[in-house]
Amino acid sequence: MALGGLISNRNFGSFIGSGNGCQRLGKNCAEVSNRFMLFPNALCRNHHQPWKILSLQPNLKPEFGGHMTSFGSFLQPRLDSRVRFRSSINDCGNTKINRSRAYYKSEDSDITDGVVDSLPSADGSAEAILVEGNLQNTSPWWQQFPRRWVIVLLCFASFLLCNMDRVNMSIAILPMSQEYNWSSATVGLIQSSFFWGYLLTQILGGIWADKFGGKVVLGFGVVWWSFATIMTPIAARLGLPFLLVVRAFMGIGEGVAMPAMNNMLSKWIPVSERSRSLALVYSGMYLGSVTGLAFSPMLIHKFGWPSVFYSFGSLGSIWFMLWLKYAYSSPKDDPDLSAEEKKVILGGSKPREPVTVIPWKLILSKPPVWALIISHFCHNWGTFILLTWMPTYYNQVLKFNLTESGLLCVLPWLTMAIFANIGGWIADTLVSRGLSITNVRKIMQSIGFLGPAFFLSQLSHVKTPAMAVLCMACSQGSDAFSQSGLYSNHQDIGPRYAGVLLGLSNTAGVLAGVFGTAATGYILQRGSWDDVFKVAVALYLIGTLVWNLFATGEKILD
């Protein structure tokens, strides 16, 4: 047992008050060893009231000769310990304490009564020594919150803004196309122009994050795309070419977000928390879609379609201030990180130096890397079609108005946010119970592929709008299990190159977004929505096959 600390009655400034029979602690706080402080509180005893010390911290059990309520202190012994005080005072008169004894008992100890007599002092007061119990430093809950989860929550917020700024166009495009007389092919071109810039910075974002740190790169991305969002209405009024350029510029900013986030979490999050942390961050994207699709119609009806871009874009500045204050690229950069949490994060290993040279030949020679790339393409084809074209589908096929389209689009994304986190907890639980990471990733991604394939194939058979919306929601809900499948796999197979790996695979995913979004507009001019969904289902099935044949959860790059 560690020596608990020394409490001095000289520092207490204890005395017996007059008139009301109260013993009060002095104005000066009592200093306790290991930088603990006992704050002034009142001890009272009269003919109708037992001894009382206010504000007991949890698991501390004081006794005062059979009379006790609570103990006011930031002094916390080890769990399940007892502290007992006995006093020589027998009545409520004006009597000065000359002697006291402190009893400290640990319930898992063989010692029945740890007794230390008080130490006399020059002024006749007494000192007591607590001989057992490990005192714990206490601070407000927000300071005790794990620093790694502060990073996760900030990344979550950035992804929330990311999709808010992205999906607002899928709602605003309806009044914009009426105002500027755009055809379906033009709408598809505008929607896909975002991915031109998004494609450019996937691999570059990963390289920058691995070399310079995720904090700088993700901060740059949020500021960049927020500014482009604000500029969108101005560009639309100037003409179609200006709008296409601004949307591409917005894609440049959002393109670095996923590689930078993946780089940061590969350094901050231990493998036992990997799936749930990534699921929470990616659920920010889904909740961003929910928020954007829910609020965009209301803003458009009340203030006009430009208000969506101005209001959403301005939120990036608030996030950026918090990011500068609290975020760090790696645990070794954070001066406030405790030694205990650093040990949890690093698991006894030393933090790696930033990457200087990318081993491209080695990376591209690994079959699991190609499984990631191909599966990401197959996954994103269906996901981006739903992201960009769902309001149009509800409006044209299900005959919902603008407000109904926006609100009903919320349901599938809300389902994704919920099931992404459920999937993350399931995956981490399976890993903690001994199932191999490889099997966990294959199970979760198979659900993420086969679920959407099944529900999208049912859309051609449903008879009511309500069933169509339900199929969409179920499709997206099962798709969310991919966050614990392929989206967690970059950190499994090469944590040091997590940013580059995500940049590689997401480049393929962005190509799926570019071609899929544009191809959907082309298909709809010559075919039907059934044809759109058939292409997505076929790619989901191909992705399932490739993933289960070649993917692994083991580290293959060091």
Side-chain angles (χ1 to χ4, degrees), residues 110-405:
D110 293 328
I111 300 174
T112 58
D113 266 325
V115 182
V116 178
D117 282 347
S118 60
L119 303 178
S121 60
D123 59 2
S125 61
E127 294 177 346
I129 301 175
L130 300 181
V131 294
E132 290 188 56
N134 295 326
L135 302 181
Q136 299 175 356
N137 200 359
T138 59
S139 55
W141 66 267
W142 59 86
Q143 294 181 9
Q144 298 180 29
F145 192 77
R147 298 287 294 182
R148 63 188 183 277
W149 284 94
V150 172
I151 300 296
V152 170
L153 290 177
L154 285 170
C155 290
F156 165 88
S158 71
F159 276 46
L160 182 81
L161 295 176
C162 178
N163 262 33
M164 282 177 63
D165 292 341
R166 187 187 303 182
V167 303
N168 57 12
M169 177 59 85
S170 65
I171 297 292
I173 198 72
L174 298 175
M176 291 173 73
S177 61
Q178 293 174 359
E179 181 176 334
Y180 296 111
N181 296 316
W182 292 331
S183 66
S184 294
T186 302
V187 170
L189 182 65
I190 294 169
Q191 297 278 42
S192 64
S193 63
F194 166 87
F195 298 106
W196 304 345
Y198 196 68
L199 177 64
L200 291 177
T201 51
Q202 289 299 309
I203 296 176
L204 283 176
I207 295 173
W208 293 338
D210 288 343
K211 286 188 174 183
F212 306 117
K215 177 178 180 177
V216 174
V217 178
L218 185 54
F220 156 79
V222 174
V223 171
W224 186 279
W225 87 58
S226 297
F227 178 73
T229 300
I230 294 172
M231 293 297 297
T232 299
I234 300 172
R237 291 191 179 96
L238 292 175
L240 182 61
F242 293 95
L243 178 60
L244 296 177
V245 170
V246 167
R247 294 297 293 175
F249 266 66
M250 181 180 173
I252 288 174
E254 292 203 4
V256 304
M258 289 178 64
M261 176 278 300
N262 215 42
N263 171 276
M264 289 192 69
L265 264 58
S266 70
K267 294 179 171 63
W268 274 96
I269 303 299
V271 66
S272 60
E273 299 173 355
R274 181 171 295 162
S275 295
R276 80 189 85 160
S277 64
L278 283 168
L280 179 61
V281 171
Y282 283 115
S283 69
M285 297 182 69
Y286 309 143
L287 290 175
S289 297
V290 169
T291 306
L293 293 170
F295 283 95
S296 292
M298 292 185 281
L299 289 170
I300 290 172
H301 278 299
K302 193 157 189 173
F303 304 106
W305 63 262
S307 64
V308 175
F309 300 100
Y310 296 142
S311 57
F312 287 6
S314 62
L315 294 175
S317 60
I318 300 173
W319 176 91
F320 186 63
M321 289 187 291
L322 295 173
W323 184 251
L324 289 178
K325 184 174 181 179
Y326 294 109
Y328 294 91
S329 291
S330 70
K332 67 181 180 66
D333 298 329
D334 189 346
D336 297 323
L337 184 67
S338 67
E340 292 80 6
E341 186 173 5
K342 185 176 290 187
K343 184 177 180 181
V344 170
I345 295 170
L346 299 178
S349 62
K350 294 182 179 179
R352 293 292 193 93
E353 293 299 318
V355 173
T356 55
V357 178
I358 308 296
W360 292 109
K361 186 176 181 180
L362 176 64
I363 291 173
L364 295 175
S365 68
K366 301 293 184 180
V369 173
W370 285 101
L372 266 176
I373 293 171
I374 295 170
S375 298
H376 210 144
F377 180 92
C378 296
H379 173 267
N380 276 27
W381 184 284
T383 300
F384 278 121
I385 286 174
L386 294 179
L387 176 66
T388 55
W389 283 96
M390 193 187 304
T392 304
Y393 172 78
Y394 285 161
N395 180 257
Q396 294 181 354
V397 178
L398 305 183
K399 305 304 179 184
F400 296 140
N401 61 36
L402 177 64
T403 302
E404 290 173 333
S405 296

Side-chain angles (χ1 to χ4, degrees), residues 31 62 68 78 85 117 157 183 193 302 420 422 512 525 552:
E31 296 180 0
M68 77 93 178
R78 186 163 47 86
F85 288 87
D117 282 347
S183 66
S193 63
K302 193 157 189 173
I422 292 174
Q525 283 190 324
T552 182

